Amino acid sequence: MNKPWHLFLLISIALVSVAFMFRADQFYLHFDDTYYVLTYGLVFGAGAIFFVLPWLLYQLVHHWLYSARLSRIHIYGTVAMLLSIIGLMLWESAQQKVVTAPSMEVYNRWQTFFQVSVLSCTVAFLALQLLFVYHLLKGILRTNKS
């Protein structure tokens, strides 16, 4: 694949399709003694926007990027980390509805595992975004030297 950033657009189109399929289904988000009612269509639509923005960024700056290898690392890593975070969130939400822990100790271990996993994926995601900045700056400096 010569332009791997088109993967962001492909995922965005898929998320918009899913948003239309589940636009009326709702879920409740409990945060700080307040319930927020969200639709899956809204969440998937926001996710589509979240994926189309880096695609637009790559469309604008791909001439200045340093190497295709760093682009692939950034793109595939970003997609993997975002999908991991979303998967962990959905898994945690499903576990909350279905499973009751046999003891508070098991529940606390499960929550710790979930929090550490999400934190690890978030740190990896942020490191990948710093890689993109490095990748862009190195490409711009290379272009200016020649």
Side-chain angles (χ1 to χ4, degrees):
M1 180 181 237
N2 194 15
K3 297 180 179 180
W5 58 86
H6 290 309
L7 179 63
F8 287 134
L9 183 63
L10 183 66
I11 292 171
S12 182
I13 291 169
L15 286 173
V16 167
S17 301
V18 171
F20 280 114
M21 290 186 334
F22 297 108
R23 68 177 177 244
D25 294 342
Q26 304 175 359
F27 69 96
Y28 302 98
L29 184 65
H30 180 245
F31 181 72
D32 198 27
D33 292 335
T34 305
Y35 279 99
Y36 298 98
V37 180
L38 299 172
T39 62
Y40 286 108
L42 176 72
V43 172
F44 286 118
I49 292 170
F50 192 74
F51 277 103
V52 88
L53 291 176
W55 176 77
L56 286 171
L57 182 64
Y58 264 98
Q59 287 293 101
L60 293 173
V61 302
H62 75 276
H63 298 292
W64 294 310
L65 295 176
Y66 183 66
S67 73
R69 183 172 179 234
L70 285 176
S71 291
R72 284 189 190 91
I73 291 170
H74 173 250
I75 291 167
Y76 298 144
T78 297
V79 169
M81 288 302 107
L82 286 175
L83 292 178
S84 297
I85 290 170
I86 291 168
L88 283 166
M89 295 290 196
L90 292 174
W91 177 74
E92 194 266 341
S93 176
Q95 293 295 322
Q96 292 267 339
K97 292 178 183 175
V98 177
V99 177
T100 52
S103 70
M104 197 58 153
E105 181 183 333
V106 172
Y107 177 77
N108 287 337
R109 267 191 279 154
W110 173 62
Q111 283 296 321
T112 302
F113 169 76
F114 167 72
Q115 291 168 352
V116 167
S117 299
V118 170
L119 180 66
S120 300
C121 289
T122 303
V123 167
F125 172 78
L126 293 174
L128 285 164
Q129 302 324 300
L130 289 175
L131 174 70
F132 175 76
V133 172
Y134 167 78
H135 177 39
L136 181 60
L137 290 176
K138 188 158 174 117
I140 289 172
L141 291 175
R142 179 191 64 182
T143 306
N144 288 340
K145 285 183 182 179
S146 41

